[in-house]
Amino acid sequence: MKIKGGNHASLITPSEVRKEVSQYKAPTSSVKNNILYVHLQEFNWSSSQGKRYANTLYHKLTSKTYKDIIIDLKNNLGGDIGPMLAGISPVVPNGKLFEIVSALNKSMSVTFQGSVTNNMGTKIDLGNIKKLQEFLLQ
C-alpha cells in the first residue's frame, strides 16, 4: 500500500472510522471589510457529512456579494476533494481541473461540472449552481 499510495494511503479500523465520522469539522468563515475569508479544512467523513460540508461553504459564498473572497488551504491535510470543490463551486470553473499521471505514465483528467468532480472524490450534486463569474479564472 505504501508503494501504491505513498503518504496518501493508510489502513484504519472500523472503530477509527466511527471515531473520525463522529469528529466532523465544518468549514469556517469570517467577513472583514466585505471580504469573505473561508478556511477550507480537509474532509475525511461520510458522504452525508460531505453534502453538509459543501452546502455550508456554498451558501456562505452565495448568500451575499463580497468585495473579494479568500479561500485558505493552510493546514488542509487533504482528504476527499469532492465536498471541498463542491462547496467552493461558485468560484471553480467548469471543465478540466487537472490531470493525474500514474507511475505507468497513464493519465486521467479530473473534470468539474456544476458542483460535481469527475474521476476523483465523492460526487456532490448541489443542483443548479450559481457561478460567481467575476471570480472565475479565464
Side-chain angles (χ1 to χ4, degrees), residues 59-94:
H59 290 297
K60 190 62 177 178
L61 286 169
T62 59
S63 64
K64 62 181 263 186
T65 302
Y66 301 99
K67 181 173 121 182
D68 281 307
I69 298 171
I70 297 170
I71 298 175
D72 181 3
L73 297 172
K74 181 177 57 201
N75 299 320
N76 182 314
L77 302 175
D80 187 345
I81 196 170
M84 290 185 266
L85 286 173
I88 61 170
S89 60
V91 297
V92 177
N94 291 325

Side-chain angles (χ1 to χ4, degrees), residues 24 41-47 49-50 53 76 78-80 83-84:
Y24 167 75
Q41 301 192 88
E42 69 273 0
F43 182 83
N44 291 309
W45 297 282
S46 71
S47 57
Q49 288 166 321
Y53 180 99
N76 182 314
D80 187 345
M84 290 185 266

Side-chain angles (χ1 to χ4, degrees), residues 29-32 34-38 60-61 66 68-70:
S29 63
S30 61
V31 178
K32 185 176 181 181
N34 201 30
I35 298 171
L36 174 64
Y37 172 89
V38 176
K60 190 62 177 178
L61 286 169
Y66 301 99
D68 281 307
I69 298 171
I70 297 170

